[in-house]
Amino acid sequence: MVLNQLEELTSRAFDELGKVTNLEELEAWRIRYLGRKSSLIQILRLLATLPLEDRRVAGARANEVKKTFEARLAEKKTSLELAATLSLQRESLDVTLPGERVLLGRLHPTTQILDEICHIFQDMGFQVVEGPEVEWEYYNFEALNMPADHPARDMFATLWIDFETEAGDRPMLLRTHTSPVQIRVMEKSPPPIRIIAPGRVYRYEATDATHEWMFYQVEGLAVDRNITLADLKGTLFEFARRLFGKERKCRFRCDYFPFVEPGVEVAIDCFVCGGAGCRLCGNSGWIEIIGAGMVHPEVLRRVDIDPEVYSGFAFGMGVERIPILRYGIDDIRLFYSNDVRFLRQF
Ligand code: FA5
């Protein structure tokens, strides 16, 4: 009978010991199975009442059970303590280890220069607007005084988009310049107008050190009474002075664009060769950055602005050529080839 009780007690105790996961639970187990009020101690006390032969056998077994409990208790305690130490070690921080370097991202050089250009013109009272990169042929050419078959369309090697509307064939393209934004703005707002329009443009042309097939332009447009070529010149000279500093030379020359009359081209002396001629400037000593002119009366008429009352100037500058000039970068193709060794320098 006592032996049975001891067997049952042993099996229950081992079962529960197996479920113990920390030192607090182990202490509770100890009190339950080896404490003064535990079943085992009560059985040991009962032994005195048993006949001699039974007492001998049961006493020996009970002592064995007690010893086993104590041994298993010590074993479990050691293993729990070891586990606790290991987990503490895992969680501990070694403050002497060097920290992990956090890599800082930075703005792309084009974005940086666009911000700078926008600030300069905003200071002069220009408002920043945007237009779509996928454009109707009408805005890119027709409204800018370049009807179909106009030879000047060849100046803008075009990426056409195959697209048919329900109304029929209405050609679309990737805009070849930001000038269509001029039309979109003049259609909507009456003069006075003073805007700049930054954005991407696309040309189907072979690339070289100063030509990309995708690049950024910033368009500018001012329309009001009595605007003259002197206003255009003053605005662009002031812009060049603020961006490049007083020392840089700035050249105005006659140029042709069907949407302006007269048309001009603005160039800055080459940063790399100082004007002597090199690969970057095509041996001319100058890098052209802006096309500009007085808005053609025909363009104004199309958007219902009376050219007898109003006049305006417009310009379009190539954005990447500015950091090229400023930092002496000798190839425009570096900008969008995504080499972080290049981009990280800015
Ligand atoms: C134009 O795109 C005209 N829309 C500019 C204009 C606006 C004239 C308003 C008059 C009035 P052009 O094709 O020259 O013009 O381009 C203007 C500028 O963009 C150039 O001066 C040059 O800085 C830059 N550019 C032109 N082609 C490329 C190219 N392939 N890669 C990088 N920059 C270019």
Side-chain angles (χ1 to χ4, degrees):
M1 169 78 170
V2 174
L3 286 179
N4 283 348
Q5 278 179 351
L6 282 171
E7 289 325 305
E8 199 196 310
L9 186 67
T10 309
S11 126
R12 197 162 10 109
F14 287 174
D15 200 31
E16 283 184 26
L17 188 65
K19 292 178 189 151
V20 165
T21 56
N22 57 46
L23 290 167
E24 287 84 57
E25 286 172 15
L26 188 64
E27 177 59 8
W29 183 91
R30 187 193 66 77
I31 293 168
R32 215 160 37 249
Y33 290 99
L34 287 164
R36 272 187 287 129
K37 292 182 187 158
S38 65
S39 312
L40 182 63
I41 300 300
Q42 277 166 23
I43 290 172
L44 283 168
R45 279 195 198 121
L46 263 179
L47 289 177
T49 62
L50 295 179
L52 185 64
E53 188 51 24
D54 288 353
R55 196 190 316 159
R56 209 174 48 77
V57 177
R61 179 66 191 134
N63 275 324
E64 232 175 77
V65 168
K66 190 166 177 263
K67 277 196 189 123
T68 320
F69 280 12
E70 282 164 353
R72 296 290 286 270
L73 174 75
E75 238 173 60
K76 185 80 182 182
K77 193 167 176 219
T78 312
S79 83
L80 283 176
E81 278 170 352
L82 184 66
T85 315
L86 285 178
S87 112
L88 262 183
Q89 275 173 358
R90 260 199 308 277
E91 283 165 24
S92 71
L93 262 184
D94 182 352
V95 288
T96 63
L97 284 174
E100 265 180 40
R101 249 184 90 202
V102 180
L103 284 180
L104 272 188
R106 55 191 84 200
L107 293 177
H108 191 280
T110 305
T111 313
Q112 292 183 30
I113 209 76
L114 275 170
D115 281 352
E116 216 176 310
I117 296 170
C118 290
H119 279 132
I120 293 177
F121 282 108
Q122 278 171 319
D123 272 357
M124 294 191 213
F126 285 76
Q127 199 188 336
V128 181
V129 300
E130 279 182 303
E133 286 173 32
V134 177
E135 187 54 283
W136 297 108
E137 179 197 32
Y138 174 78
Y139 287 102
N140 198 81
F141 290 128
E142 193 93 24
L144 287 165
N145 211 16
M146 283 181 279
D149 304 328
H150 193 293
R153 285 198 182 195
D154 284 351
M155 293 161 64
F156 305 98
T158 308
L159 286 153
W160 294 94
I161 293 176
D162 267 343
F163 179 78
E164 265 188 36
T165 61
E166 279 172 22
D169 199 18
R170 209 182 145 200
M172 281 199 118
L173 41 77
L174 291 180
R175 66 178 176 191
T176 57
H177 51 173
T178 40
S179 299
V181 187
Q182 288 184 36
I183 306 297
R184 289 182 175 273
V185 169
M186 287 191 287
E187 271 181 352
K188 286 218 184 87
S189 356
I193 295 169
R194 232 184 304 173
I195 59 102
I196 55 163
R200 286 194 197 101
V201 302
Y202 303 82
R203 293 203 188 163
Y204 183 55
E205 66 186 354
T207 62
D208 63 23
T210 52
H211 291 84
E212 255 293 6
W213 67 272
M214 186 287 289
F215 56 100
Y216 279 75
Q217 285 190 339
V218 174
E219 192 75 12
L221 173 72
V223 183
D224 204 347
R225 292 169 197 264
N226 304 320
I227 292 218
T228 67
L229 189 67
D231 294 313
L232 170 65
K233 216 170 158 184
T235 305
L236 292 182
F237 270 143
E238 176 59 15
F239 165 74
R241 195 185 63 77
R242 288 202 201 177
L243 198 67
F244 297 113
K246 275 192 236 124
E247 320 72 48
R248 307 306 303 280
K249 289 195 209 113
C250 188
R251 181 182 79 177
F252 251 68
R253 280 208 312 191
C254 205
D255 201 352
Y256 171 71
F257 302 95
F259 36 97
V260 286
E261 180 55 41
V264 296
E265 161 221 286
V266 183
I268 304 287
D269 61 325
C270 179
F271 204 102
V272 175
C273 61
C278 67
R279 180 179 89 101
L280 182 67
C281 59
N283 287 321
S284 70
W286 297 92
I287 295 184
E288 185 208 317
I289 56 163
I290 304 177
M294 299 304 292
V295 181
H296 198 290
E298 206 44 54
V299 173
L300 291 176
R301 241 175 248 123
R302 247 181 209 275
V303 288
D304 285 334
I305 294 179
D306 185 352
E308 299 300 322
V309 181
Y310 294 104
S311 55
F313 68 71
F315 58 84
M317 72 179 74
V319 174
E320 291 79 3
R321 292 198 184 170
I322 292 168
I324 282 181
L325 281 162
R326 185 186 270 179
Y327 305 119
I329 299 164
D330 65 1
D331 201 316
I332 193 172
R333 288 166 292 195
L334 289 165
F335 281 80
Y336 307 114
S337 53
N338 289 337
D339 185 339
V340 285
R341 289 169 305 176
F342 168 74
L343 297 173
R344 228 185 255 141
Q345 300 173 68
F346 302 94

